[in-house]
Amino acid sequence: MRLEHSSWLEVQNYFKCSDIVMLPIGSIENHGSHLALGTDMLVPDYIAGEIDKTLDILIAPAMPFGAADLHRTFPGTLSIGVDGLHMVLSKVCGDLFQYGARKFIFLNGHGGNNPALSQVGQEISEKGGISAQLNWWTVAGELNPAWKGGHGAGEETAAMMAIWPQDVHMENLIEFTPKDLGPGLSFIHGGTVGFEEVAIPVIRTTEKFSQAGWYGKDHPKTAAPEWGREMLKTTTEYFIRFIQAFEKVEL
């Protein structure tokens, strides 16, 4: 049940018999020169649409803007920051709580959104509700380690090949050459460096370690539509089972 296609009467009747709502959360940000800026919104929105075919739950419109400050040196990235995302979601969830929502599913496509989602989740909990964060790319990697990927790399490229192939331009791919922080401080991931085999958080804007904009061990050239379709199908089926269990939680 899509909120934007429902009337106020339909929403009122929905909350008479259900208290769960899903909010797809994304971002408009750099995903390398080969992927669309909206990748982090388009994938969760697709998954939400697939879930809608099976479950009768209320699904809010996908939130396109997130906390993407680390990517703002790449043209087209639009970030409202952690504070901005928290403010928007706090207001939106507050209204939904007023109408009867008590169980909130954040179907998330961007790791930078997590601090704001956790903060809103804490507020929901304090009011007597509960929330769950479903980070699709992380869950996919847990379900199958072969799918685990970096930013704008094979995992996300495969997902976009499956659902929005017209937004994948491998001919524009710029190769990623990781930049170490210094001697003995090797690049591991976007926000971490390695020192004496230990991962240490070191926050840097993306262009300082990847001029290409993407990073990860799963090279985008390894991606294929078949990988994306299987991954999204398996992940969606897992989310459906989780939501069915989450619906039964007693508050």
Side-chain angles (χ1 to χ4, degrees), residues 25-39:
I25 313 293
S27 182
I28 302 296
E29 65 178 46
N30 148 65
H31 272 80
S33 54
H34 61 294
L35 285 184
L37 292 157
T39 294

Side-chain angles (χ1 to χ4, degrees), residues 67-74 77 79 190 203-207 215:
D69 290 359
L70 296 179
H71 299 285
R72 287 167 66 186
T73 53
F74 291 88
T77 296
S79 176
I203 303 303
R204 295 181 286 168
T205 52
T206 305
E207 87 287 351
Y215 50 88

Side-chain angles (χ1 to χ4, degrees), residues 15-224:
F15 281 121
K16 288 179 180 178
C17 58
S18 183
D19 65 353
I20 191 168
V21 61
M22 172 180 286
L23 294 91
I25 313 293
S27 182
I28 302 296
E29 65 178 46
N30 148 65
H31 272 80
S33 54
H34 61 294
L35 285 184
L37 292 157
T39 294
D40 284 350
M41 179 196 72
L42 294 170
V43 178
D45 190 51
Y46 169 82
I47 294 173
E50 293 299 292
I51 291 173
D52 190 40
K53 295 176 182 179
T54 300
L55 300 181
D56 184 21
I57 64 172
L58 187 63
I59 302 175
M63 174 68 180
F65 306 117
D69 290 359
L70 296 179
H71 299 285
R72 287 167 66 186
T73 53
F74 291 88
T77 296
L78 303 175
S79 176
I80 59 175
V82 173
D83 289 347
L85 181 58
H86 167 259
M87 180 182 68
V88 172
L89 289 180
S90 182
K91 293 288 188 181
V92 169
C93 292
D95 282 352
L96 290 167
F97 197 96
Q98 175 185 331
Y99 304 140
R102 294 296 181 270
K103 302 185 183 84
F104 295 78
I105 301 284
F106 296 125
L107 180 53
N108 184 35
H110 172 53
N113 294 340
N114 288 343
L117 297 181
S118 296
Q119 191 173 358
V120 173
Q122 176 65 24
E123 294 167 1
I124 291 171
S125 179
E126 290 172 356
K127 293 195 297 184
I130 193 170
S131 69
Q133 294 175 223
L134 301 183
N135 298 324
W136 83 263
W137 74 100
T138 302
V139 172
E142 291 287 334
L143 295 174
N144 185 343
W147 296 336
K148 186 176 181 179
H151 175 75
E155 181 183 21
E156 289 188 303
T157 300
M160 288 295 286
M161 283 179 170
I163 61 174
W164 287 99
Q166 63 270 40
D167 289 342
V168 180
H169 297 281
M170 297 303 294
E171 70 276 12
N172 294 332
L173 177 70
I174 297 174
E175 288 293 338
F176 161 56
T177 302
K179 292 184 179 180
D180 294 338
L181 186 61
L185 299 170
S186 59
F187 171 86
I188 292 182
H189 196 62
T192 57
V193 300
F195 180 69
E196 295 181 358
E197 300 183 358
V198 177
I200 304 295
V202 177
I203 303 303
R204 295 181 286 168
T205 52
T206 305
E207 87 287 351
K208 291 180 179 177
F209 56 82
S210 172
Q211 291 292 330
W214 70 272
Y215 50 88
K217 296 180 180 179
D218 53 324
H219 198 287
K221 290 182 179 179
T222 65

